[in-house]
Amino acid sequence: MDVFDREVEPKSRRGFLKKSSLLAMAAVVGSNIPFASKMPGGLIPAALADTNEPFSIPGKDGLVYLNDRPVNAETPPHLLDDKFTPGKHFFIRNNGIPPKMKDIDFDTWTLEIAGESCLNPQTFTLPELKAKFKHYTYAIQLECGGNGRSEYNPPAKGNQWTTGAVGCGRWTGIRLRDVLHAVGIKDDAVYIGYYGKDTHLSGDPTKEPISRGVPMDKALKDETLIAWAYEGEDIPHYNGYPLRLVAGGWPASASGKWLQKIVIRDQVHDGKKMGGQSYRVPCNPVAPGTKVPDEDMCIIESMPVKSLITYPKSGVTHNLGKSFSFRGKAWAGEQEVKEMNVSIDFGATWQKAKLKKPVNRLAWQEWESSVKFPKKGYYEVWARATDSNGESQPTIIPGWNPKGYLNNSCHRIAIQVV
């Protein structure tokens, strides 16, 4: 269900609240809402957006909600401090409306494999998939392509993510390549595409909310999974229960949720949000605010190198003379993070941090460091990761793009030294 179970009129995009839902929202904001009928679909009342205790959905805890139709929510950096992100803290990025839990039957859920480049199209039940193919578990990091969008100027349309549309945990399932080989791949195959059981915001069953995919090379990688479990439990409902494609290191939109069909294509997949400006950036750098023709936009593949400070929270007070210890996570799309550096003088100088190896390819990496501050005052601790290709995070916002993708600028926290 939606957070407030509203119905949206397709043309005006106004959100009509059912009487019980209107009463619930009014109770949360503390008074009647005279113009509730004018409220745009998905809008979160400012009274809730400003609170430190945002509304939540079952199975999730501590997330910051950006909208409720579709539900999109990010994770504050301090809740990403665990070695592996708990399901309750894994961010939510939805384009449509998930199937209701009461309508999902794990034992009868099916996955169809088809497409013009599939030799022998077949349909498997979920139990059949589990019985027929070998199981694998990998720690895989997923990040929304628009993570960090809120910092771009001119502003880019879309969810205004700050830093928390990312998570890493252990996914269990079967290799996509094993299933594809079982049905047969024609020599002309170049791409796969997915279809999920989520529905379009309009409610029109003929419209797709999203249908993306990846090239065959990515589809056939060891770590590209058809997964049914996350951190040893069922995948959280809003993260794709009961079945999800997991293609780590690329925009998380390539990892289709509520998976019910995979097609093997003889062309770049042309599903919803594969064309136009969606999950694409200018093939060549452009000036901020430039209108870029669709034909000059290129599909995002491997995500850029990035890191977060996950402990402590920004704004802490620290006593002068004591060593200040902090830590975080780093990742680099298809690459590995090779070095972490930190700065306390706004990037003028850097010192090396201790960096751990990933538990497997496409997992994020833990790092830690400590510094001593020279005198009392306001400081910022900055973190910068460098990947195996020698690419480092920029200290300022990287190249502007129309949709606000791929912001991998250095994360920083504020410290008052007393």
Side-chain angles (χ1 to χ4, degrees):
M1 66 176 187
D2 299 329
V3 173
F4 284 112
D5 196 23
R6 75 178 83 202
E7 296 176 359
V8 178
E9 200 284 318
K11 292 185 178 180
S12 71
R13 301 300 301 150
R14 295 295 175 184
F16 299 103
L17 289 157
K18 298 175 182 178
K19 185 176 181 180
S20 59
S21 302
L22 176 59
L23 291 174
M25 184 183 284
V28 174
V29 301
S31 67
N32 181 40
I33 307 174
F35 295 108
S37 64
K38 307 297 184 184
M39 189 178 295
L43 180 72
I44 292 176
L48 299 183
D50 290 340
T51 183
N52 291 324
E53 297 182 359
F55 57 81
S56 61
I57 60 175
K60 295 294 181 178
D61 180 51
L63 301 189
V64 177
Y65 289 80
L66 281 69
N67 52 34
D68 80 317
R69 189 179 177 92
V71 175
N72 289 288
E74 67 176 317
T75 314
H78 70 279
L79 293 183
L80 295 172
D81 193 49
D82 295 282
K83 183 180 181 70
F84 302 114
T85 310
K88 65 181 180 180
H89 292 156
F90 203 94
F91 78 99
I92 301 171
R93 170 58 176 120
N94 292 339
N95 287 270
I97 304 302
K100 295 182 183 296
M101 281 294 288
K102 67 180 180 65
D103 296 331
I104 298 174
D105 185 337
F106 190 96
D107 291 330
T108 61
W109 188 274
T110 59
L111 175 64
E112 178 186 1
I113 312 294
E116 63 270 17
S117 294
C118 177
L119 284 170
N120 300 296
Q122 295 183 50
T123 298
F124 303 90
T125 65
L126 210 164
E128 286 173 341
L129 289 173
K130 295 183 72 173
K132 184 177 178 65
F133 300 98
K134 184 178 178 180
H135 300 184
Y136 295 88
T137 297
Y138 292 105
I140 297 176
Q141 166 269 320
L142 295 178
E143 180 183 16
C144 178
N147 198 21
R149 177 180 286 128
S150 63
E151 296 183 1
Y152 278 107
N153 190 37
K157 292 182 179 179
N159 292 298
Q160 296 301 300
W161 305 107
T162 59
T163 59
V166 64
C168 179
R170 292 162 291 190
W171 300 86
T172 298
I174 56 181
R175 285 175 172 161
L176 172 60
R177 77 169 184 222
D178 290 348
V179 180
L180 298 184
H181 285 315
V183 300
I185 306 169
K186 292 183 181 179
D187 292 340
D188 62 356
V190 297
Y191 231 84
I192 65 100
Y194 69 75
Y195 295 89
K197 206 169 179 60
D198 46 340
T199 56
H200 194 270
L201 295 178
S202 67
D204 185 341
T206 66
K207 291 184 177 180
E208 302 166 359
I210 186 169
S211 173
R212 303 198 69 241
V214 296
M216 291 304 302
D217 179 64
K218 178 65 174 174
L220 299 177
K221 287 283 195 291
D222 285 355
E223 304 85 4
T224 302
L225 300 179
I226 296 172
W228 55 76
Y230 178 78
E231 283 299 294
E233 299 180 345
D234 290 341
I235 296 171
H237 179 212
Y238 274 78
N239 297 120
Y241 175 81
L243 201 63
R244 177 172 188 165
L245 183 64
V246 181
W250 289 40
S253 58
S255 298
K257 299 182 287 292
W258 311 289
L259 186 66
Q260 64 174 356
K261 185 177 182 179
I262 291 175
V263 287
I264 308 174
R265 306 299 311 275
D266 62 1
Q267 63 180 53
V268 174
H269 186 53
D270 55 359
K272 183 69 173 178
K273 295 191 180 292
M274 277 298 296
Q277 309 267 316
S278 296
Y279 300 100
R280 292 173 178 248
V281 294
C283 300
N284 297 298
V286 299
T290 300
K291 290 186 177 180
V292 185
D294 290 354
E295 59 268 23
D296 293 335
M297 301 285 279
C298 290
I299 297 171
I300 299 169
E301 294 189 345
S302 178
M303 294 287 285
V305 62
K306 198 166 182 178
S307 62
L308 275 179
I309 301 168
T310 57
Y311 177 85
K313 294 173 65 173
S314 184
V316 299
T317 299
H318 181 74
N319 291 325
L320 181 66
K322 291 185 177 181
S323 180
F324 178 75
S325 297
F326 54 104
R327 59 180 180 260
K329 305 294 191 301
W331 59 95
E334 288 279 344
Q335 311 304 317
E336 185 176 323
V337 179
K338 286 298 186 182
E339 187 173 302
M340 275 299 306
N341 289 276
V342 298
S343 175
I344 62 171
D345 56 11
F346 302 101
T349 61
W350 297 86
Q351 73 174 51
K352 200 169 183 178
K354 181 180 178 181
L355 175 68
K356 293 183 179 180
K357 297 283 291 183
V359 297
N360 55 249
R361 202 178 78 87
L362 304 184
W364 66 15
Q365 297 167 239
E366 296 179 290
W367 61 268
E368 60 184 12
S369 188
S370 63
V371 295
K372 279 198 171 182
F373 298 103
K375 59 182 179 180
K376 296 178 180 180
Y378 170 82
Y379 292 86
E380 291 187 2
V381 173
W382 292 12
R384 183 181 69 187
T386 301
D387 70 17
S388 48
N389 287 335
E391 296 289 333
S392 296
Q393 290 181 258
T395 55
I396 59 174
I397 308 301
W400 183 90
N401 62 87
K403 297 287 285 185
Y405 296 126
L406 308 185
N407 179 3
N408 68 329
S409 57
C410 291
H411 187 222
R412 54 202 177 104
I413 61 171
I415 313 292
Q416 288 285 352
V417 177
V418 296

